[in-house]
Amino acid sequence: MSIHTEPATATDRLKITLAITGASGSLFAVEMLRALEQDARVRHVYLVVSPSALRVLAEEASLPGRNQFVEHLLGAPSSKIVQLGHEDIGAPIASGSSPVDAMIVLPCSMGTLAGIAHGIAGNLIERAADVCLKERRRLVLCVRETPFNLIHIRNMAAVTEAGATVYPVIPTFYNHPQTIADIARNYVHRVLQHIGLPQPGAYAWGAEKTS
Ligand SMILES: Cc1cc2nc3c(=O)[nH]c(=O)nc-3n(C[C@H](O)[C@H](O)[C@H](O)COP(=O)(O)O)c2cc1C
């Protein structure tokens, strides 16, 4: 299975799908939204938020319901982030005929992982991920659970075999983060680098020794 990791150029103007599901780690999703909003190479962001994600966001980020969700997260309206309904299987990203360059599920719950691993396509997130796999597009699943049971591990193996990248929400410490936001930002930088969108100011091990 080919995974495309070449950097996007400034003229590429990508379309990215971001799905937020009901695993812990809302802050990471907020940082991802901010990074996509600010990245001029990204033309359009399709955002899908599961009902469970809204429940977790309310718990972890004190966010209100669905209305003005993006505006509340970013502190301003966005011209390129469009939120789609979790059950709207008529949305553009439900069809392979609609071009999308990459899809990120951050955080990815074990429930959504299972749905994708088994091709259930029972809601827009599962269907859009299914489309990415069948069209051989980049799909990054930022799973979050601990500990894993054997079902989780088998599902991670299945999506990897189908072409997705399992990118667990696990912090790094060798970059000496000072805040939780630093940890989330570094993680988001790594995921974006993985889909060909290296970020300015991203930490790179050894860079200070070679520059
Ligand atoms: C506060 C909170 C934290 C949760 N954390 C996780 C988690 O880290 N990983 C996980 O797989 N599920 C977690 N869950 C459970 C999922 O939200 C639940 O399985 C849900 O059905 C997932 O649905 P979704 O995949 O459609 O978002 C959590 C639930 C709550 C309320």
Side-chain angles (χ1 to χ4, degrees), residues 110-132:
M110 293 302 102
T112 292
L113 169 70
I116 296 169
H118 294 274
I120 304 297
N123 57 52
L124 185 57
I125 295 175
E126 291 175 358
R127 170 62 186 166
D130 203 57
V131 167
C132 281

Side-chain angles (χ1 to χ4, degrees), residues 36-83:
L36 292 172
E37 171 70 12
Q38 286 164 14
D39 196 321
R41 295 164 296 182
V42 177
R43 174 160 51 109
H44 199 87
V45 178
Y46 293 111
L47 173 67
V48 194
V49 186
S50 77
S52 305
L54 286 174
R55 175 73 180 82
V56 178
L57 278 158
E59 205 67 47
E60 296 185 341
S62 308
L63 278 173
R66 194 168 179 277
N67 291 337
Q68 281 97 42
F69 174 79
V70 174
E71 197 168 333
H72 189 91
L73 270 182
L74 299 174
S78 168
S79 58
K80 66 175 169 182
I81 301 174
V82 174
Q83 190 173 347

Side-chain angles (χ1 to χ4, degrees), residues 1-206:
M1 181 59 54
S2 66
I3 300 292
H4 318 276
T5 52
E6 69 277 6
T9 66
T11 53
D12 279 348
R13 309 283 284 152
L14 305 177
K15 286 189 179 184
I16 308 283
T17 298
L18 174 63
I20 307 177
T21 70
S24 187
S26 314
L27 193 64
F28 288 68
V30 172
E31 284 297 332
M32 180 60 80
L33 266 178
R34 285 201 185 109
L36 292 172
E37 171 70 12
Q38 286 164 14
D39 196 321
R41 295 164 296 182
V42 177
R43 174 160 51 109
H44 199 87
V45 178
Y46 293 111
L47 173 67
V48 194
V49 186
S50 77
S52 305
L54 286 174
R55 175 73 180 82
V56 178
L57 278 158
E59 205 67 47
E60 296 185 341
S62 308
L63 278 173
R66 194 168 179 277
N67 291 337
Q68 281 97 42
F69 174 79
V70 174
E71 197 168 333
H72 189 91
L73 270 182
L74 299 174
S78 168
S79 58
K80 66 175 169 182
I81 301 174
V82 174
Q83 190 173 347
L84 305 171
H86 183 248
E87 303 304 325
D88 184 8
I89 43 80
I93 57 173
S95 170
S97 62
S98 178
V100 166
D101 297 285
M103 175 171 176
I104 300 165
V105 186
L106 171 61
C108 183
S109 74
M110 293 302 102
T112 292
L113 169 70
I116 296 169
H118 294 274
I120 304 297
N123 57 52
L124 185 57
I125 295 175
E126 291 175 358
R127 170 62 186 166
D130 203 57
V131 167
C132 281
L133 293 177
K134 83 183 175 75
E135 300 293 338
R136 307 293 193 262
R137 295 175 184 159
R138 297 160 175 150
L139 173 65
V140 185
L141 303 180
C142 304
V143 298
R144 217 260 25 136
E145 187 51 279
T146 193
F148 292 124
N149 65 35
L150 186 56
I151 297 167
H152 303 152
I153 292 167
R154 287 198 169 126
N155 286 339
M156 286 190 278
V159 294
T160 302
E161 284 166 353
T165 301
V166 174
Y167 215 116
V169 180
I170 298 176
T172 57
F173 298 100
Y174 51 79
N175 53 318
H176 305 292
Q178 301 298 305
T179 63
I180 296 173
D182 285 348
I183 290 174
R185 213 169 294 123
N186 186 58
Y187 175 84
V188 163
H189 287 169
R190 293 287 300 275
V191 172
L192 289 174
Q193 183 177 31
H194 186 74
I195 64 164
L197 286 172
Q199 297 294 297
Y203 175 85
W205 171 255

